[in-house]
Amino acid sequence: MLCMSSVGNGSERSMLPVDEAFGFAFLKTGYDSILPSFVTDLADNGVDTVHVAPIRLDPRVVDYIYRTSTHEHFYLNMKSHLTRIAVLAMVLEGREDASPQAIVNSLKSGKDGYPNLRTRYQRPEDIVSDEDFATWCEERHPDQDELTITLTQRNVFHAADDQEEAIETLSLIHDTNPGFYQENDSTNVPRLARLIGHFASFKLL
């Protein structure tokens, strides 16, 4: 949503000290079917998926993830959408000290020679014309709230801006919805255990 400004609201938390390259992303609602190929695309570009599970994001998690946008006209509608329906949240890890978050962010836009996964997986119904987008930015589109949801879905997946934000988000999920971390068929158990161990250690500091 390029018409948003970037003004923080002071909701930043103290950084959880983690010395390993964990990352965070989630697939938007309705994109569950692309998960196998999406995970393969990540792996082909040097990012391993440690754990995937559906989750209804707590409002505090959404407020942290989108903390620079909480003052925007679309925020409350977008937040309601993201907290009402489950997303597929992912714990990621890089290889050989590579930053998974830097790679996934390149995959969002196709920069640095990486493929653009948003363009690859975007659904036709989530494409918005430049005219509709401009009208929406001016808050005068006849279907303003509906278009906010379409624009939210258009991005296919969210990825944290950097590793620090990824760890903070994963820590918040651990605080607000620890059931997310229950093992399933997608889980790399030793790697996930290391991350959860970091959370436990942090709470003892």
Side-chain angles (χ1 to χ4, degrees):
M1 298 181 183
L2 296 179
C3 67
M4 70 177 69
S5 59
S6 297
V7 180
N9 68 351
S11 62
E12 290 80 359
R13 290 152 42 95
S14 58
M15 175 59 189
L16 174 68
V18 176
D19 57 2
E20 297 181 67
F22 287 104
F24 173 76
F26 67 79
L27 284 175
K28 303 289 182 68
T29 302
Y31 283 97
D32 307 49
S33 63
I34 74 168
L35 179 62
S37 56
F38 187 76
V39 168
T40 297
D41 284 330
L42 293 179
D44 288 346
N45 288 281
V47 177
D48 293 329
T49 302
V50 175
H51 180 66
V52 182
I55 183 175
R56 289 182 63 180
L57 296 170
D58 186 274
R60 288 167 289 180
V61 175
V62 176
D63 284 341
Y64 176 72
I65 290 173
Y66 297 102
R67 61 196 179 281
T68 62
S69 302
T70 56
H71 63 292
E72 297 285 358
H73 66 85
F74 58 81
Y75 182 71
L76 291 179
N77 192 30
M78 182 184 74
K79 178 180 177 179
S80 175
H81 173 70
L82 289 174
T83 56
R84 187 174 64 248
I85 306 174
V87 300
L88 278 176
M90 311 174 74
V91 180
L92 308 172
E93 191 174 30
R95 301 176 196 158
E96 299 178 356
D97 298 324
S99 167
Q101 217 58 62
I103 295 172
V104 175
N105 279 317
S106 293
L107 291 168
K108 287 196 301 189
S109 59
K111 68 179 181 180
D112 300 327
Y114 286 93
N116 187 326
L117 296 189
R118 283 180 167 171
T119 300
R120 177 176 296 177
Y121 290 113
Q122 189 178 75
R123 302 177 301 190
E125 61 265 33
D126 291 332
I127 296 174
V128 175
S129 70
D130 292 343
E131 181 181 359
D132 280 341
F133 182 72
T135 306
W136 174 83
C137 284
E138 295 168 359
E139 301 181 57
R140 56 185 185 85
H141 195 281
D143 298 312
Q144 189 76 11
D145 289 347
E146 181 179 339
L147 193 56
T148 294
I149 303 307
T150 300
L151 288 165
T152 300
Q153 292 297 106
R154 179 177 70 168
N155 288 336
V156 182
F157 66 97
H158 165 82
D161 289 337
D162 52 39
Q163 186 186 351
E164 290 186 356
E165 182 178 300
I167 294 300
E168 286 296 296
T169 304
L170 290 167
S171 178
L172 267 173
I173 290 174
H174 187 265
D175 292 344
T176 60
N177 196 335
F180 165 71
Y181 291 97
Q182 292 180 353
E183 298 170 14
N184 59 40
D185 291 341
S186 77
T187 307
N188 183 309
V189 176
R191 294 184 184 182
L192 187 65
R194 288 204 307 274
L195 178 63
I196 294 174
H198 284 300
F199 295 150
S201 298
F202 182 61
K203 294 187 184 305
L204 294 176
L205 296 179

